[in-house]
Amino acid sequence: MFTIEHDFDATVITLVDEGSTHLEEDVTIQSFSECVTIEQYDPRKDEVCKIVMSMAQVRELAAALNLPEGVYRMKPKG
């Protein structure tokens, strides 16, 4: 299950792990104009872990999800 909310300065996506075995904590993704943040609570450390990705990294990740194993470089736009 997931939710999508449009805030003033970001789009917020929350991924909820559903199922019967070994559930992970929710993942929150916030998309801003200049970057994307990914957050997940770590109960072992009792803190939220945060990753910040540039928009270029997000585009490469999206492309990588549909490619076979290998090394790739995105062509610059234009």
Side-chain angles (χ1 to χ4, degrees), residues 36-70:
V36 170
T37 64
I38 302 168
E39 299 177 349
Q40 185 177 40
Y41 175 72
D42 184 345
R44 295 168 294 173
K45 296 180 181 179
D46 191 30
E47 66 183 24
V48 174
C49 299
K50 183 177 190 175
I51 297 172
V52 179
M53 298 174 67
S54 69
M55 297 312 285
Q57 288 174 310
V58 172
R59 286 189 295 275
E60 289 178 352
L61 173 60
L65 292 174
N66 296 315
L67 293 170
E69 184 176 332

Side-chain angles (χ1 to χ4, degrees), residues 21-34:
T21 59
H22 189 67
L23 300 178
E24 296 293 337
E25 296 291 330
D26 295 354
V27 174
T28 302
I29 303 164
Q30 297 185 54
S31 178
F32 300 92
S33 60
E34 70 281 351

Side-chain angles (χ1 to χ4, degrees), residues 7-28:
D7 290 342
F8 172 71
D9 63 344
T11 297
V12 180
I13 300 169
T14 302
L15 306 175
V16 180
D17 195 12
E18 295 183 304
S20 58
T21 59
H22 189 67
L23 300 178
E24 296 293 337
E25 296 291 330
D26 295 354
V27 174
T28 302

